[in-house]
Amino acid sequence: MEKIKIGLLGMGTVGSGVWNILKNNKDEIFRNCGYEMEIAKILVKDLDKKRNIDAPASLYTDDFNEVLNDDEIKIVVEVMGGIEPAKDYILKSMDKKKHVVSANKALIASHGKELFERAESNKVMFLYEASVAGGIPILSTIKESLSGNKIEEVMGIVNGTTNYILTKMTKDKVDFHNVLKEAQDKGYAELDPTADVEAYDAAHKLAILGFLSFGINIDLSSIYREGITKITPVDIEYAKELGYAIKLLAIGKEQDGEIEMRVHPTFIPLDHPLASVGDAFNAVFLKGNAVGDLMFYGKGAGDMPTGSAVVGDIIDIIKNRGNIFYPSNSRKKKIVKSMEETTCKYYIRIVVKDKPGVLGKIASEFGKSQVSLSSVIQKGRKTPTVSLVFITHKSKEGNVKNAIDNILSIEQVVEIANLIRVENGVDE
Ligand code: NAP
Ligand code: HSE
Protein backbone atom coordinates (compact mmCIF):
# COMPACT_ATOMS: atom_id res chain seq x y z
CA MET A 1 0.00 0.00 0.00
CA GLU A 2 1.44 3.33 -1.11
CA LYS A 3 1.73 5.81 1.74
CA ILE A 4 1.44 9.54 1.20
CA LYS A 5 4.45 11.19 2.80
CA ILE A 6 4.04 14.55 4.46
CA GLY A 7 6.57 17.12 5.64
CA LEU A 8 5.30 18.97 8.71
CA LEU A 9 6.77 22.43 9.22
CA GLY A 10 6.07 23.16 12.90
CA MET A 11 5.10 20.98 15.86
CA GLY A 12 3.36 23.48 18.12
CA THR A 13 -0.35 23.70 18.88
CA VAL A 14 -1.58 23.02 15.33
CA GLY A 15 1.24 20.61 14.41
CA SER A 16 0.37 18.46 17.45
CA GLY A 17 -3.28 18.42 16.41
CA VAL A 18 -2.34 17.28 12.91
CA TRP A 19 -0.07 14.55 14.31
CA ASN A 20 -2.76 13.26 16.68
CA ILE A 21 -5.54 13.28 14.09
CA LEU A 22 -3.43 11.41 11.52
CA LYS A 23 -2.56 8.87 14.21
CA ASN A 24 -5.96 8.47 15.90
CA ASN A 25 -8.22 8.65 12.83
CA LYS A 26 -6.20 6.36 10.53
CA ASP A 27 -9.19 4.18 9.60
CA GLU A 28 -11.50 7.10 8.81
CA ILE A 29 -8.81 8.82 6.77
CA PHE A 30 -8.12 5.63 4.79
CA ARG A 31 -11.84 5.13 4.20
CA ASN A 32 -12.17 8.74 2.99
CA CYS A 33 -9.24 8.85 0.60
CA GLY A 34 -7.96 5.32 0.07
CA TYR A 35 -4.43 6.06 1.26
CA GLU A 36 -2.44 5.87 4.44
CA MET A 37 -0.47 8.92 5.45
CA GLU A 38 2.86 9.22 7.08
CA ILE A 39 4.56 12.24 8.55
CA ALA A 40 8.08 11.69 7.20
CA LYS A 41 9.80 14.79 8.63
CA ILE A 42 9.00 17.42 11.25
CA LEU A 43 10.74 20.78 11.09
CA VAL A 44 11.10 22.64 14.40
CA LYS A 45 13.21 25.50 15.68
CA ASP A 46 14.45 23.93 18.89
CA LEU A 47 15.40 20.25 18.68
CA ASP A 48 15.94 20.07 22.46
CA LYS A 49 12.46 21.27 23.41
CA LYS A 50 10.46 18.79 25.51
CA ARG A 51 7.32 17.88 23.56
CA ASN A 52 4.12 16.31 24.74
CA ILE A 53 3.77 14.22 21.61
CA ASP A 54 4.79 10.65 20.79
CA ALA A 55 6.62 11.31 17.50
CA PRO A 56 9.99 9.49 17.24
CA ALA A 57 13.03 11.73 17.70
CA SER A 58 14.35 10.57 14.32
CA LEU A 59 11.59 12.50 12.51
CA TYR A 60 12.62 15.88 13.86
CA THR A 61 14.97 18.21 12.05
CA ASP A 62 15.89 21.87 12.25
CA ASP A 63 17.05 21.90 8.63
CA PHE A 64 14.33 22.69 6.09
CA ASN A 65 16.43 21.18 3.27
CA GLU A 66 15.75 17.75 4.73
CA VAL A 67 12.08 18.27 3.91
CA LEU A 68 12.66 20.06 0.62
CA ASN A 69 15.08 17.52 -0.81
CA ASP A 70 13.10 14.46 0.18
CA ASP A 71 11.41 13.61 -3.14
CA GLU A 72 9.07 11.16 -1.42
CA ILE A 73 7.45 14.05 0.46
CA LYS A 74 4.60 15.14 -1.79
CA ILE A 75 2.73 17.43 0.61
CA VAL A 76 4.20 20.10 2.86
CA VAL A 77 2.11 21.32 5.78
CA GLU A 78 3.17 24.76 7.02
CA VAL A 79 2.04 25.28 10.62
CA MET A 80 4.99 27.26 11.91
CA GLY A 81 3.52 30.76 11.52
CA GLY A 82 5.16 34.12 10.78
CA ILE A 83 6.01 35.60 7.40
CA GLU A 84 9.62 34.51 6.95
CA PRO A 85 10.94 31.89 6.66
CA ALA A 86 7.44 30.37 6.22
CA LYS A 87 6.94 32.15 2.87
CA ASP A 88 10.34 31.12 1.55
CA TYR A 89 9.74 27.49 2.58
CA ILE A 90 6.31 27.41 0.93
CA LEU A 91 7.58 28.91 -2.34
CA LYS A 92 10.56 26.54 -2.44
CA SER A 93 8.26 23.56 -1.75
CA MET A 94 5.98 24.60 -4.63
CA ASP A 95 8.99 24.97 -6.93
CA LYS A 96 9.84 21.35 -6.03
CA LYS A 97 6.29 20.43 -7.15
CA LYS A 98 5.10 19.70 -3.63
CA HIS A 99 1.51 20.58 -2.75
CA VAL A 100 1.17 22.88 0.24
CA VAL A 101 -1.33 23.23 3.10
CA SER A 102 -1.02 26.22 5.41
CA ALA A 103 -2.84 27.63 8.44
CA ASN A 104 -0.93 30.90 8.22
CA LYS A 105 -3.51 33.65 7.79
CA ALA A 106 -1.01 36.46 8.38
CA LEU A 107 1.06 35.19 5.45
CA ILE A 108 -1.87 34.47 3.13
CA ALA A 109 -3.53 37.82 3.82
CA SER A 110 -0.34 39.75 3.10
CA HIS A 111 1.33 37.66 0.35
CA GLY A 112 -1.52 35.50 -0.97
CA LYS A 113 -1.21 36.70 -4.57
CA GLU A 114 2.42 35.64 -4.83
CA LEU A 115 1.68 32.25 -3.25
CA PHE A 116 -1.32 31.56 -5.52
CA GLU A 117 0.65 32.56 -8.61
CA ARG A 118 3.55 30.31 -7.67
CA ALA A 119 1.16 27.40 -7.01
CA GLU A 120 -0.45 28.00 -10.39
CA SER A 121 2.83 28.23 -12.30
CA ASN A 122 4.01 24.99 -10.68
CA LYS A 123 0.62 23.30 -11.12
CA VAL A 124 0.46 22.34 -7.45
CA MET A 125 -2.37 22.77 -5.00
CA PHE A 126 -2.32 25.29 -2.18
CA LEU A 127 -5.03 24.98 0.47
CA TYR A 128 -5.53 27.04 3.62
CA GLU A 129 -8.87 26.09 5.23
CA ALA A 130 -7.44 26.32 8.77
CA SER A 131 -6.45 29.94 8.25
CA VAL A 132 -9.98 31.23 8.90
CA ALA A 133 -12.23 30.15 11.78
CA GLY A 134 -10.17 27.06 12.71
CA GLY A 135 -12.31 23.96 12.44
CA ILE A 136 -15.24 25.60 10.60
CA PRO A 137 -15.14 24.60 6.91
CA ILE A 138 -16.03 28.10 5.73
CA LEU A 139 -13.50 28.62 2.93
CA SER A 140 -14.25 25.41 1.02
CA THR A 141 -17.97 26.17 1.44
CA ILE A 142 -17.52 29.58 -0.21
CA LYS A 143 -15.23 28.18 -2.92
CA GLU A 144 -17.32 25.11 -3.69
CA SER A 145 -20.86 24.79 -2.34
CA LEU A 146 -21.64 28.51 -2.68
CA SER A 147 -19.76 29.14 -5.90
CA GLY A 148 -23.02 29.79 -7.77
CA ASN A 149 -23.84 32.71 -5.48
CA LYS A 150 -22.98 36.37 -5.39
CA ILE A 151 -21.90 36.78 -1.77
CA GLU A 152 -23.40 40.01 -0.50
CA GLU A 153 -22.31 39.86 3.10
CA VAL A 154 -20.02 37.96 5.41
CA MET A 155 -19.96 38.81 9.08
CA GLY A 156 -18.41 36.84 11.87
CA ILE A 157 -16.60 36.23 15.10
CA VAL A 158 -13.33 34.92 13.70
CA ASN A 159 -10.90 35.34 16.58
CA GLY A 160 -11.17 32.84 19.42
CA THR A 161 -8.85 34.64 21.81
CA THR A 162 -10.80 37.92 21.84
CA ASN A 163 -14.12 36.11 22.00
CA TYR A 164 -12.83 34.16 25.00
CA ILE A 165 -11.68 37.41 26.63
CA LEU A 166 -14.93 39.30 25.94
CA THR A 167 -16.99 36.34 27.20
CA LYS A 168 -14.99 36.22 30.46
CA MET A 169 -15.14 40.01 30.86
CA THR A 170 -18.93 39.86 30.48
CA LYS A 171 -19.42 36.93 32.86
CA ASP A 172 -16.85 37.76 35.52
CA LYS A 173 -16.63 41.58 35.17
CA VAL A 174 -12.85 41.49 34.93
CA ASP A 175 -10.37 43.55 32.94
CA PHE A 176 -9.07 42.00 29.70
CA HIS A 177 -5.42 41.79 30.89
CA ASN A 178 -6.46 39.24 33.53
CA VAL A 179 -8.02 36.93 30.94
CA LEU A 180 -5.43 37.11 28.16
CA LYS A 181 -3.03 34.80 30.02
CA GLU A 182 -5.76 32.11 30.22
CA ALA A 183 -6.33 32.31 26.45
CA GLN A 184 -2.57 31.99 25.90
CA ASP A 185 -2.37 28.96 28.21
CA LYS A 186 -5.14 27.26 26.24
CA GLY A 187 -3.15 27.65 22.98
CA TYR A 188 -5.65 30.06 21.36
CA ALA A 189 -3.51 33.20 21.24
CA GLU A 190 -0.93 34.06 18.59
CA LEU A 191 2.75 34.11 19.54
CA ASP A 192 2.43 37.89 19.85
CA PRO A 193 -1.05 38.31 21.39
CA THR A 194 -1.21 41.88 20.08
CA ALA A 195 -2.23 40.19 16.82
CA ASP A 196 -5.36 38.99 18.60
CA VAL A 197 -6.31 41.87 20.91
CA GLU A 198 -5.57 44.60 18.35
CA ALA A 199 -7.56 42.63 15.73
CA TYR A 200 -4.75 42.12 13.20
CA ASP A 201 -5.57 38.40 13.19
CA ALA A 202 -9.27 39.05 12.55
CA ALA A 203 -8.33 41.52 9.77
CA HIS A 204 -6.13 38.86 8.14
CA LYS A 205 -9.04 36.42 8.22
CA LEU A 206 -11.42 39.04 6.82
CA ALA A 207 -9.00 39.70 3.95
CA ILE A 208 -9.12 35.98 3.10
CA LEU A 209 -12.92 35.80 3.46
CA GLY A 210 -13.14 39.00 1.40
CA PHE A 211 -11.06 37.83 -1.53
CA LEU A 212 -12.93 34.55 -1.73
CA SER A 213 -16.36 36.18 -1.31
CA PHE A 214 -15.95 39.27 -3.48
CA GLY A 215 -13.34 38.11 -6.00
CA ILE A 216 -10.80 40.89 -5.61
CA ASN A 217 -7.41 41.06 -4.03
CA ILE A 218 -7.93 42.87 -0.72
CA ASP A 219 -5.12 45.12 0.38
CA LEU A 220 -4.78 44.77 4.16
CA SER A 221 -4.42 48.54 4.48
CA SER A 222 -7.95 48.98 3.10
CA ILE A 223 -9.48 47.04 6.03
CA TYR A 224 -10.56 49.23 8.93
CA ARG A 225 -9.21 47.61 12.11
CA GLU A 226 -9.89 48.30 15.77
CA GLY A 227 -9.14 45.87 18.63
CA ILE A 228 -10.74 45.22 22.02
CA THR A 229 -8.22 46.94 24.29
CA LYS A 230 -10.48 49.96 24.88
CA ILE A 231 -13.49 47.86 25.92
CA THR A 232 -14.13 48.23 29.65
CA PRO A 233 -16.49 46.46 32.05
CA VAL A 234 -18.44 49.77 32.12
CA ASP A 235 -19.19 49.53 28.37
CA ILE A 236 -20.15 45.88 28.75
CA GLU A 237 -22.61 46.84 31.50
CA TYR A 238 -24.14 49.61 29.37
CA ALA A 239 -24.39 47.20 26.45
CA LYS A 240 -26.24 44.66 28.59
CA GLU A 241 -28.60 47.31 29.94
CA LEU A 242 -29.39 48.47 26.40
CA GLY A 243 -30.01 44.85 25.26
CA TYR A 244 -26.71 44.18 23.48
CA ALA A 245 -23.58 42.02 23.71
CA ILE A 246 -20.17 43.32 22.62
CA LYS A 247 -18.37 41.11 20.08
CA LEU A 248 -15.33 41.65 17.89
CA LEU A 249 -16.88 41.32 14.43
CA ALA A 250 -15.22 41.03 11.05
CA ILE A 251 -17.63 42.51 8.52
CA GLY A 252 -17.49 42.41 4.73
CA LYS A 253 -20.37 43.71 2.59
CA GLU A 254 -20.74 44.34 -1.11
CA GLN A 255 -23.30 46.63 -2.67
CA ASP A 256 -23.19 47.97 -6.22
CA GLY A 257 -19.48 47.29 -6.61
CA GLU A 258 -18.61 49.02 -3.33
CA ILE A 259 -17.13 46.84 -0.62
CA GLU A 260 -17.01 47.49 3.12
CA MET A 261 -14.25 45.73 5.00
CA ARG A 262 -14.04 46.41 8.71
CA VAL A 263 -13.13 44.72 11.99
CA HIS A 264 -14.12 46.34 15.27
CA PRO A 265 -15.87 45.71 18.57
CA THR A 266 -19.59 45.77 17.86
CA PHE A 267 -22.84 45.98 19.79
CA ILE A 268 -25.17 43.21 18.63
CA PRO A 269 -28.66 42.59 20.04
CA LEU A 270 -28.75 39.91 22.75
CA ASP A 271 -31.27 37.92 20.71
CA HIS A 272 -28.96 37.88 17.66
CA PRO A 273 -27.41 34.38 17.17
CA LEU A 274 -23.88 35.84 17.25
CA ALA A 275 -24.49 37.27 20.74
CA SER A 276 -24.57 33.81 22.30
CA VAL A 277 -21.34 32.60 20.63
CA GLY A 278 -19.12 32.33 23.71
CA ASP A 279 -15.62 31.31 24.79
CA ALA A 280 -13.19 30.53 21.94
CA PHE A 281 -16.02 29.60 19.56
CA ASN A 282 -16.25 31.28 16.17
CA ALA A 283 -19.28 31.86 13.99
CA VAL A 284 -19.69 33.23 10.48
CA PHE A 285 -22.86 34.62 8.89
CA LEU A 286 -23.06 34.64 5.15
CA LYS A 287 -25.62 36.08 2.80
CA GLY A 288 -25.65 34.73 -0.75
CA ASN A 289 -28.04 36.18 -3.35
CA ALA A 290 -29.35 32.68 -4.15
CA VAL A 291 -28.99 30.74 -0.90
CA GLY A 292 -30.02 33.55 1.48
CA ASP A 293 -28.68 33.63 5.05
CA LEU A 294 -26.38 30.92 6.41
CA MET A 295 -24.60 30.61 9.72
CA PHE A 296 -21.59 28.45 10.59
CA TYR A 297 -20.54 27.79 14.16
CA GLY A 298 -17.67 25.89 15.75
CA LYS A 299 -14.28 25.96 17.39
CA GLY A 300 -12.08 28.59 15.82
CA ALA A 301 -8.79 27.78 17.52
CA GLY A 302 -6.92 25.05 19.35
CA ASP A 303 -4.96 21.97 18.29
CA MET A 304 -7.69 19.51 17.27
CA PRO A 305 -10.22 21.87 15.56
CA THR A 306 -7.45 23.55 13.57
CA GLY A 307 -5.80 20.18 12.89
CA SER A 308 -9.16 18.95 11.57
CA ALA A 309 -9.15 21.66 8.87
CA VAL A 310 -5.51 20.95 7.97
CA VAL A 311 -6.11 17.21 7.62
CA GLY A 312 -9.24 17.92 5.54
CA ASP A 313 -7.05 19.92 3.13
CA ILE A 314 -4.49 17.09 2.93
CA ILE A 315 -7.28 14.67 2.03
CA ASP A 316 -8.66 17.11 -0.57
CA ILE A 317 -5.23 17.25 -2.18
CA ILE A 318 -4.99 13.46 -2.23
CA LYS A 319 -8.42 13.22 -3.78
CA ASN A 320 -7.17 15.78 -6.28
CA ARG A 321 -10.05 18.11 -5.70
CA GLY A 322 -8.25 20.91 -3.86
CA ASN A 323 -9.44 23.30 -6.53
CA ILE A 324 -7.08 26.08 -7.34
CA PHE A 325 -9.00 29.30 -6.88
CA TYR A 326 -7.42 32.56 -7.83
CA PRO A 327 -9.07 35.40 -6.04
CA SER A 328 -8.39 38.53 -8.05
CA ASN A 329 -10.53 37.43 -10.93
CA SER A 330 -13.68 39.53 -10.69
CA ARG A 331 -14.58 40.89 -14.11
CA LYS A 332 -16.44 43.78 -12.49
CA LYS A 333 -14.63 46.80 -11.14
CA LYS A 334 -15.01 46.92 -7.37
CA ILE A 335 -13.63 49.32 -4.81
CA VAL A 336 -13.22 49.07 -1.05
CA LYS A 337 -15.04 52.03 0.54
CA SER A 338 -13.24 54.29 2.98
CA MET A 339 -14.44 54.02 6.58
CA GLU A 340 -15.58 57.68 6.45
CA GLU A 341 -18.15 56.69 3.79
CA THR A 342 -19.51 53.75 5.80
CA THR A 343 -22.84 54.10 7.63
CA CYS A 344 -23.55 52.55 11.02
CA LYS A 345 -25.35 53.08 14.25
CA TYR A 346 -23.08 54.12 17.12
CA TYR A 347 -22.83 53.82 20.89
CA ILE A 348 -20.92 56.85 22.15
CA ARG A 349 -20.02 57.29 25.83
CA ILE A 350 -18.99 60.80 26.78
CA VAL A 351 -17.72 61.81 30.22
CA VAL A 352 -18.80 65.35 31.11
CA LYS A 353 -18.75 67.74 34.06
CA ASP A 354 -22.26 67.55 35.43
CA LYS A 355 -23.33 71.13 34.59
CA PRO A 356 -26.73 72.34 33.29
CA GLY A 357 -26.93 72.64 29.51
CA VAL A 358 -24.15 70.24 28.56
CA LEU A 359 -26.51 67.59 27.18
CA GLY A 360 -28.17 70.22 24.95
CA LYS A 361 -24.81 71.45 23.63
CA ILE A 362 -23.70 67.91 22.74
CA ALA A 363 -27.04 67.05 21.10
CA SER A 364 -26.81 70.24 19.09
CA GLU A 365 -23.34 69.31 17.74
CA PHE A 366 -24.62 65.89 16.67
CA GLY A 367 -27.49 67.62 14.86
CA LYS A 368 -25.17 70.09 13.09
CA SER A 369 -23.16 67.15 11.72
CA GLN A 370 -26.30 65.34 10.45
CA VAL A 371 -26.11 62.66 13.17
CA SER A 372 -29.54 61.79 14.46
CA LEU A 373 -29.87 60.41 18.00
CA SER A 374 -31.96 57.40 18.92
CA SER A 375 -31.51 57.39 22.72
CA VAL A 376 -29.58 59.02 25.56
CA ILE A 377 -28.81 57.71 29.03
CA GLN A 378 -27.36 59.74 31.89
CA LYS A 379 -26.32 57.97 35.05
CA GLY A 380 -24.77 59.00 38.34
CA ARG A 381 -25.29 62.29 40.10
CA LYS A 382 -23.53 63.89 43.03
CA THR A 383 -20.20 63.21 41.33
CA PRO A 384 -18.20 65.93 39.58
CA THR A 385 -18.32 63.99 36.29
CA VAL A 386 -20.97 61.74 34.74
CA SER A 387 -21.20 59.48 31.71
CA LEU A 388 -23.64 60.41 28.95
CA VAL A 389 -24.39 57.50 26.64
CA PHE A 390 -25.80 58.17 23.17
CA ILE A 391 -27.10 55.67 20.63
CA THR A 392 -27.38 57.17 17.16
CA HIS A 393 -29.50 56.27 14.19
CA LYS A 394 -27.60 55.06 11.12
CA SER A 395 -25.13 57.80 10.29
CA LYS A 396 -22.12 58.29 8.08
CA GLU A 397 -18.87 57.59 9.96
CA GLY A 398 -17.36 60.83 8.61
CA ASN A 399 -20.26 62.84 10.10
CA VAL A 400 -19.93 61.11 13.47
CA LYS A 401 -16.18 61.83 13.56
CA ASN A 402 -16.90 65.45 12.69
CA ALA A 403 -19.48 65.74 15.51
CA ILE A 404 -17.03 64.22 17.97
CA ASP A 405 -14.27 66.68 17.02
CA ASN A 406 -16.67 69.54 17.75
CA ILE A 407 -18.01 67.94 20.95
CA LEU A 408 -14.47 67.68 22.29
CA SER A 409 -14.20 71.47 22.19
CA ILE A 410 -17.22 71.93 24.50
CA GLU A 411 -15.80 73.16 27.80
CA GLN A 412 -17.72 70.71 30.06
CA VAL A 413 -16.70 67.64 28.02
CA VAL A 414 -13.94 65.67 29.76
CA GLU A 415 -13.43 62.83 27.28
CA ILE A 416 -15.00 60.60 24.65
CA ALA A 417 -14.70 57.45 26.76
CA ASN A 418 -15.73 55.07 23.96
CA LEU A 419 -17.32 54.80 20.53
CA ILE A 420 -18.61 51.38 19.49
CA ARG A 421 -20.45 50.56 16.29
CA VAL A 422 -23.86 48.87 16.48
CA GLU A 423 -25.03 46.20 14.01
CA ASN A 424 -28.53 44.86 14.00
CA GLY A 425 -27.92 41.84 11.81
CA VAL A 426 -27.22 40.70 8.28
CA ASP A 427 -30.26 42.46 6.83
CA GLU A 428 -29.45 45.89 8.24
P1 NAP B 1 3.13 27.44 17.76
O1 NAP B 1 2.43 26.64 18.80
O2 NAP B 1 3.93 28.61 18.17
O3 NAP B 1 4.06 26.42 16.93
C1 NAP B 1 4.95 26.85 15.95
C2 NAP B 1 5.85 25.69 15.57
O4 NAP B 1 6.65 26.08 14.46
C3 NAP B 1 6.80 25.25 16.68
O5 NAP B 1 6.93 23.86 16.67
C4 NAP B 1 8.13 25.91 16.28
O6 NAP B 1 9.26 25.19 16.68
C5 NAP B 1 8.03 25.89 14.78
N1 NAP B 1 8.76 27.02 14.18
C6 NAP B 1 8.50 28.34 14.31
N2 NAP B 1 9.40 29.06 13.63
C7 NAP B 1 10.26 28.18 13.07
C8 NAP B 1 11.41 28.29 12.25
N3 NAP B 1 11.88 29.49 11.88
N4 NAP B 1 12.05 27.17 11.85
C9 NAP B 1 11.59 25.96 12.22
N5 NAP B 1 10.49 25.77 13.01
C10 NAP B 1 9.85 26.86 13.42
O7 NAP B 1 2.09 27.96 16.67
P2 NAP B 1 0.62 27.42 16.39
O8 NAP B 1 -0.33 28.01 17.38
O9 NAP B 1 0.63 25.97 16.18
O10 NAP B 1 0.29 28.18 15.01
C11 NAP B 1 0.88 27.78 13.81
C12 NAP B 1 0.21 28.50 12.65
O11 NAP B 1 -1.16 28.16 12.61
C13 NAP B 1 0.24 30.02 12.74
O12 NAP B 1 0.32 30.56 11.43
C14 NAP B 1 -1.10 30.37 13.36
O13 NAP B 1 -1.54 31.67 13.02
C15 NAP B 1 -1.96 29.33 12.69
N6 NAP B 1 -3.18 28.97 13.41
C16 NAP B 1 -3.12 28.68 14.73
C17 NAP B 1 -4.28 28.31 15.39
C18 NAP B 1 -4.28 27.95 16.86
O14 NAP B 1 -5.33 27.68 17.40
N7 NAP B 1 -3.14 27.95 17.52
C19 NAP B 1 -5.48 28.23 14.69
C20 NAP B 1 -5.51 28.53 13.31
C21 NAP B 1 -4.33 28.89 12.68
P3 NAP B 1 9.62 24.93 18.24
O15 NAP B 1 8.55 24.00 18.72
O16 NAP B 1 10.96 24.30 18.22
O17 NAP B 1 9.59 26.27 18.88
N1 HSE C 1 -5.17 33.33 17.61
C1 HSE C 1 -6.21 32.82 16.77
C2 HSE C 1 -7.52 32.97 17.49
C3 HSE C 1 -5.96 31.37 16.47
O1 HSE C 1 -7.53 33.25 18.69
O2 HSE C 1 -8.55 32.86 16.83
C4 HSE C 1 -6.94 30.81 15.46
O3 HSE C 1 -6.75 31.38 14.19
Side-chain angles (χ1 to χ4, degrees), residues 396-413:
K396 216 185 237 189
E397 176 107 359
N399 292 349
V400 172
K401 291 281 167 66
N402 192 45
I404 281 179
D405 284 347
N406 296 335
I407 287 166
L408 275 170
S409 59
I410 297 172
E411 198 238 313
Q412 295 91 339
V413 169

Side-chain angles (χ1 to χ4, degrees), residues 155 243 245 249 268-277 285 295 423-427:
M155 173 164 109
L249 290 194
I268 42 170
L270 286 170
D271 60 1
H272 189 286
L274 283 176
S276 54
V277 175
F285 259 120
M295 181 168 162
E423 282 281 326
N424 274 353
V426 286
D427 287 328

Side-chain angles (χ1 to χ4, degrees), residues 101-103 127-141 143 309-310 313:
V101 174
S102 173
L127 294 186
Y128 44 95
E129 183 64 64
S131 65
V132 178
I136 305 175
I138 185 72
L139 302 187
S140 52
T141 303
K143 286 192 287 184
V310 170
D313 277 352

Side-chain angles (χ1 to χ4, degrees), residues 9-16 42-49 51 60-64 78-82 84-86 89 102-107 130-135 186-191 201 205 300-303 305-307 310:
L9 312 185
M11 185 49 121
T13 304
V14 184
S16 320
I42 302 168
L43 178 77
V44 290
K45 199 156 41 172
D46 178 2
L47 284 173
D48 297 327
K49 195 189 256 183
R51 293 171 200 279
Y60 286 97
T61 178
D62 57 2
D63 178 5
F64 170 65
E78 184 275 303
V79 284
M80 49 192 271
E84 289 294 359
Y89 293 173
S102 173
N104 193 335
K105 53 264 160 145
L107 176 61
S131 65
V132 178
K186 286 178 184 283
Y188 304 147
E190 297 299 307
L191 198 57
D201 178 74
K205 290 165 176 166
D303 55 349
T306 313
V310 170

